[in-house]
Amino acid sequence: MDERALELLELPAILERLAGLAVSDPGRALADALRPSPDPDEVTSRQALTAEAISLVEQSLEPDLTGVRDVRPAVELAARGSALDPAALRAIAVSIERGLSARAALGAQEASPGLAALAARIEPQLAGLADALAHAVEDDGSDLRDSASPALRRLRRELRESRARIAERLRSLARDPSLREHLQDDFVTERAGRPVLALRASARGTVPGIVHDMSGSGQTLFVEPLSVVEDSNRLREAESAEREEVGRILRELSRQIGDHEEALRALVEAVAAIDLAVACAALSRSWRGAQVTPSHEVVLLGARHPLLDRSTAVPIDLALAALRAVVVSGPNTGGKTVALKTLGLAAILHQCGLRPPADHAELPVFDEVLADIGDEQSIAMSLSTFSGHVGNLVAILDAATRRSLVLLDELAAGTDPVEGAALAQALVDRLARQARLTMVTSHYQELKEWASATEGVTNAATGFDPETNAPLYRIALGRPGTSHALKIAERLGLPRELVDEARENVSPERRRVADLLAEAEVAEERAAEERMGAEAERVGAEAARLAAEARVSELETEIERVRASAQAERERALAAAERELAGTRAELDGLRAEIRAARRLERERRAASTPRAAAKERERDRRLGAASERAARVDRDLRAADTPLAATAPLAAGDPVVAPSLGVRGTIVEIARDEAVVVGRGGLRVRVPLERLRPDRDGRADAAAEQAVTIRAPTPTHAPSELDLRGRTAEDAREALRAFVDSAALAGRDELRVIHGRGTGAIRKAVRDELARHPLVASQEPDSADGATVVRLG
């Protein structure tokens, strides 16, 4: 790519922002050196890496490459036999650790095959080298750890002990009362690496030793006492041994680094490529770049210059399909040059691996982006503006191919307008046939007319507000723009009479054309505003429709959830009711067993009536009464439980039925009013209220039917023949009546009398309804005053 064109299009400013987003030294260096590629396959590969990195960044899964250095120069020195310092060793260790971490992280991401392939170039065997470096070097890279080798640990321990011993001896001397008055200071210091005391010069002979230094005034001597000289000498020997051991360790570690030179170079290059891809993703997301669709045509919708503030920059549309050249015209400062740079940068960014800032983008891969933008005047080279542009045009004509993008600002300006217009027309005509796409800006009316009449070439106008005389920075394809030079000059402060005089000097034909173009521009602006308004309304309506559909979907989902919940609740309630019913039936079966046992005992009692037997009889009667009460309660519960589970279809003669509360199972032979005659096992017939019958689903009436048994026995003392229900509620009266009838039946009574009184008639009605449903009641009739009912059992 032409470096001059890249500078004119401000690519260096983009790369500076890109490098600022890289977190590693190699990544920043690679960003600074990034250039657009003319190879379609390379561009596809770069865009794929950026797309993968965008996905990682959006999920906060990008690898952490912070702290990775470009260690290749240090590795090269190590490979040549040089010993690296601890700081260089630590930088290499950190780079290896970060690189291996990135390899592991990207290897686990199936959606990032390109980045994973880059990370796979980092050799896992470097982990051993990183461990050795981390074991030997301090985290800040200032020195080797004591644990770098056993010898180094021993030597440093000896050094610490020797220094402490010498310091203690000197402090002891300094505390000696006989010497204290001769010391200039009471602290221990060093001169030339030797421990000394600060002694007054007048007391030189009081401390035998070696003078290593004297103060500037000559009043203080720095003396090493003879008593510590030998220890100091041994300390120097230990320090020398420690330095030799440190040097040996550094050389050994550097040798290992040199042995991994190729692997370390590959690591740095892989980290740089990964870091660059992540930086490209971050920058593309920052300006909301569009994923480019590869195409032979150029289509940019909602494109912005990436260096302009997104909140204020006006997006432009450049739908340039099937065009070979575009002539952009309009007022100065109206956005013509920005449009050129926006197109050029979009192409360059795409081929660098970045996503251009646009809502939609379709671009080919250009082999060259050639540009001539700005003033080329040079006093040093004796070049005028026109001469400088012509020199650039010569180079562009030599370099342009069928795959090139050419961008020319103010083509052939700075010379005679007639000749300049003719030259501009010839150049655009030539480039339209030679290059893939040529875009120029111009004020030449002749060039605009030629563009309108030439196939494959079109005009484009920058917008202008006729009310404020200010540019709108929009691009309208298909019509030429007007310069509005006089309006702009007046807006910028030229005297109105001067502008009016200039306007009179313009030919009527030119004024008429300018007026027509201005009217067309106004009409187009209004139409564009109406279209935008209609589109906004359409978008709003569509959003409302989608919101309504989403709400309907939510409501339907909620309804289904409520239905499912209600169904599950009904099923749970039904299961609980059936479980409770089964338990009640089991309890009733137990009560019936007790009743049968009581009947057997009654027969036995009658067979042997003795005093002892009489006592047993009373106990049995008590148990029998309690069982009767429980049977009445269970019967009431079963009757309540039978109701919600009853069959929905009416019963008829021939239906197999069961009465769970009575223990009756058989077949209906006759139905009279609200009772049915049921034939059970052995042909036994029993009358049962319909409300107590349920369909027998098993259909085995005969096999499980139970026969009714009539027990006649002397009336026990606790089973009276008369029951007074006056003053009770209807429900209490029903329960007491059922227990009274059951006990009387078990005691063998044939006729009973129930007193209910006349009153409101509620108790009388409850009594007679209950007697009508009771299976042991054969008949009932009121007594003479209707305040009681006579009951006959059958």
Side-chain angles (χ1 to χ4, degrees):
M1 286 284 177
D2 180 49
E3 287 293 329
R4 178 179 168 278
L6 299 181
E7 290 182 5
L8 290 174
L9 294 172
E10 302 177 272
L11 179 63
I14 301 294
L15 297 183
E16 183 179 353
R17 291 179 59 180
L18 181 64
L21 293 171
V23 298
S24 68
D25 288 347
R28 283 187 283 269
L30 196 59
D32 286 332
L34 183 63
R35 293 296 180 271
S37 172
D39 181 6
D41 293 337
E42 174 65 18
V43 173
T44 300
S45 176
R46 290 180 177 183
Q47 287 292 335
L49 290 176
T50 299
E52 293 178 11
I54 287 176
S55 177
L56 292 178
V57 170
E58 289 175 345
Q59 302 175 70
S60 299
L61 295 175
E62 68 275 18
D64 183 9
L65 301 175
T66 306
V68 176
R69 305 285 183 83
D70 187 356
V71 298
R72 288 173 294 187
V75 172
E76 184 177 353
L77 287 175
R80 293 177 180 176
S82 299
L84 303 179
D85 59 25
L89 297 178
R90 180 58 185 167
I92 293 172
V94 170
S95 299
I96 295 174
E97 292 169 358
R98 297 294 190 192
L100 292 174
S101 176
R103 174 191 170 101
L106 294 173
Q109 299 295 325
E110 297 181 358
S112 306
L115 293 173
L118 288 175
R121 300 176 187 174
I122 302 172
E123 295 186 8
Q125 293 79 1
L126 290 173
L129 176 59
D131 291 341
L133 295 174
H135 176 73
V137 183
E138 295 285 358
D139 290 340
D140 59 0
S142 60
D143 200 356
L144 293 181
R145 300 180 188 271
D146 293 354
S147 59
S149 74
L152 184 62
R153 180 185 289 108
R154 176 180 56 78
L155 288 169
R156 287 185 172 174
R157 183 177 65 251
E158 292 176 0
L159 285 172
R160 287 191 294 271
E161 292 173 353
S162 295
R163 291 191 181 103
R165 186 166 53 251
I166 292 171
E168 179 57 33
R169 287 188 180 182
L170 289 176
R171 283 193 294 271
S172 178
L173 287 172
R175 291 193 298 268
D176 188 344
S178 62
L179 293 179
R180 184 176 302 172
E181 60 180 307
H182 302 297
L183 296 177
Q184 192 75 356
D185 293 297
D186 60 356
F187 58 83
V188 178
T189 185
E190 285 189 359
R191 286 293 185 272
R194 309 285 292 191
V196 296
L197 293 174
L199 188 67
R200 299 180 189 275
S202 58
R204 169 66 185 85
T206 57
V207 179
I210 301 171
V211 177
H212 287 284
D213 199 3
M214 179 185 295
S215 66
S217 64
Q219 298 299 314
T220 304
L221 300 178
F222 295 96
V223 179
E224 180 183 8
L226 292 177
S227 60
V228 299
V229 169
E230 186 63 27
D231 287 339
S232 296
N233 290 337
R234 284 195 293 271
L235 178 63
R236 297 299 166 269
E237 292 173 1
E239 289 174 344
S240 176
E242 187 254 357
R243 284 193 297 273
E244 290 180 2
E245 179 62 13
V246 168
R248 183 193 69 77
I249 295 172
L250 292 177
R251 288 191 297 274
E252 173 59 22
L253 293 174
S254 299
R255 182 193 64 76
Q256 295 181 35
I257 289 172
D259 292 343
H260 292 84
E261 179 182 12
E262 293 302 322
L264 289 170
R265 285 184 177 277
L267 179 145
V268 172
E269 292 168 1
V271 166
I274 295 169
D275 194 14
L276 176 62
V278 174
C280 287
L283 187 57
S284 297
R285 292 181 74 244
S286 70
W287 59 44
R288 302 177 190 175
Q291 185 170 1
V292 176
T293 301
S295 173
H296 295 294
E297 308 295 345
V298 175
V299 178
L300 292 175
L301 302 180
R304 291 175 173 83
H305 193 291
L307 296 179
L308 296 179
D309 185 354
R310 180 179 176 86
S311 63
T312 58
V314 178
I316 61 173
D317 294 339
L318 296 174
L320 308 180
L323 293 175
R324 307 293 297 184
V326 180
V327 178
V328 183
S329 54
N332 290 321
T333 70
K336 299 189 300 296
T337 303
V338 172
L340 284 184
K341 291 185 175 182
T342 299
L343 173 58
L345 270 177
I348 289 172
L349 295 177
H350 170 229
Q351 294 176 215
C352 283
L354 290 152
R355 292 183 174 181
D359 298 332
H360 175 80
E362 298 177 26
L363 291 169
V365 175
F366 299 104
D367 63 349
E368 286 284 358
V369 177
L370 305 167
D372 181 36
I373 300 173
D375 191 354
E376 292 297 318
Q377 183 175 2
S378 173
I379 297 175
M381 298 180 64
S382 299
L383 290 175
S384 66
T385 299
F386 179 73
S387 299
H389 282 302
V390 170
N392 294 334
L393 290 172
V394 171
I396 288 172
L397 288 171
D398 289 340
T401 70
R402 299 288 292 177
R403 291 182 53 212
S404 300
L405 172 64
V406 180
L407 305 170
L408 304 175
D409 190 27
E410 300 295 349
L411 179 60
T415 188
D416 177 76
V418 177
E419 293 182 354
L423 181 59
Q425 179 179 328
L427 285 168
V428 176
D429 184 41
R430 169 75 175 273
L431 289 170
R433 289 179 280 109
Q434 182 177 338
R436 169 64 191 82
L437 177 64
T438 300
M439 189 172 184
V440 304
T441 67
S442 178
H443 292 283
Y444 290 136
Q445 187 64 32
E446 294 82 359
L447 184 59
K448 302 176 194 177
E449 295 171 358
W450 173 84
S452 298
T454 304
E455 185 179 358
V457 183
T458 191
N459 280 293
T462 55
F464 187 80
D465 190 336
E467 296 181 1
T468 62
N469 291 334
L472 298 174
Y473 306 106
R474 291 201 290 264
I475 299 293
L477 293 174
R479 65 171 179 82
T482 55
S483 297
H484 296 287
L486 298 178
K487 292 182 179 180
I488 293 175
E490 184 177 357
R491 180 172 64 86
L492 294 177
L494 277 181
R496 184 183 184 86
E497 62 274 10
L498 183 63
V499 174
D500 291 340
E501 183 179 349
R503 188 175 287 110
E504 290 298 325
N505 292 332
V506 178
S507 66
E509 294 79 6
R510 285 290 182 90
R511 287 204 306 269
R512 180 57 181 163
V513 170
D515 291 342
L516 290 174
L517 289 176
E519 291 175 6
E521 186 174 342
V522 171
E524 183 173 336
E525 289 295 333
R526 289 176 179 171
E529 291 177 0
E530 291 177 358
R531 284 197 304 272
M532 291 175 62
E535 177 64 17
E537 291 179 359
R538 187 194 67 78
V539 171
E542 179 67 13
R545 183 186 66 81
L546 293 176
E549 291 180 354
R551 182 55 180 162
V552 169
S553 178
E554 291 177 3
L555 291 175
E556 290 177 347
T557 302
E558 181 65 16
I559 289 171
E560 288 301 320
R561 187 191 65 78
V562 171
R563 284 176 177 170
S565 176
Q567 179 62 25
E569 185 63 28
R570 284 195 297 270
E571 292 176 356
R572 286 194 297 270
L574 181 59
E578 290 181 347
R579 287 194 299 270
E580 184 177 356
L581 182 59
T584 306
R585 286 172 177 165
E587 184 179 355
L588 183 58
D589 289 341
L591 293 175
R592 289 191 179 119
E594 290 187 21
I595 292 173
R596 286 194 293 270
R599 288 171 177 168
R600 286 195 301 272
L601 292 174
E602 176 64 19
R603 287 194 295 270
E604 294 174 0
R605 183 190 66 79
R606 289 201 268 169
S609 179
T610 64
R612 186 175 181 180
K616 289 184 178 180
E617 178 185 348
R618 286 191 297 272
E619 176 62 20
R620 291 188 192 102
D621 288 344
R622 186 189 63 78
R623 291 172 55 193
L624 186 58
S628 297
E629 290 289 342
R630 291 198 299 275
R633 287 196 301 271
V634 172
D635 179 61
R636 183 175 65 257
D637 294 341
L638 280 175
R639 188 163 60 253
D642 284 345
T643 301
L645 299 176
T648 57
L651 297 173
D655 289 345
V657 293
V658 60
S661 60
L662 302 176
V664 174
R665 178 176 275 112
T667 303
I668 296 177
V669 296
E670 181 184 349
I671 295 179
R673 292 195 302 177
D674 56 352
E675 287 186 336
V677 178
V678 178
V679 177
R681 186 174 58 189
L684 182 66
R685 300 166 68 92
V686 62
R687 302 179 69 88
V688 181
L690 286 174
E691 64 181 12
R692 296 196 178 188
L693 291 175
R694 293 176 57 192
D696 186 1
R697 294 191 181 93
D698 295 336
R700 297 179 287 105
D702 293 341
E706 292 189 11
Q707 294 185 11
V709 177
T710 301
I711 301 176
R712 294 190 177 275
T715 303
T717 58
H718 65 276
S721 61
E722 185 176 273
L723 175 65
D724 189 351
L725 297 177
R726 287 174 294 182
R728 301 196 186 188
T729 64
E731 184 62 28
D732 289 342
R734 288 178 183 273
E735 293 183 6
L737 179 61
R738 282 195 293 268
F740 172 65
V741 172
D742 290 342
S743 298
L746 290 172
R749 292 190 178 279
D750 294 329
E751 186 174 292
L752 307 174
R753 187 169 183 268
V754 180
I755 303 172
H756 43 68
R758 289 189 294 272
T760 62
I763 299 298
R764 180 177 62 245
K765 183 177 184 304
V767 167
R768 291 176 178 175
D769 288 346
E770 186 63 32
L771 291 173
R773 285 196 296 267
H774 202 292
L776 301 178
V777 175
S779 65
Q780 58 172 308
E781 59 184 24
D783 67 355
S784 59
D786 201 23
T789 299
V790 178
V791 182
R792 291 184 178 82
L793 303 182

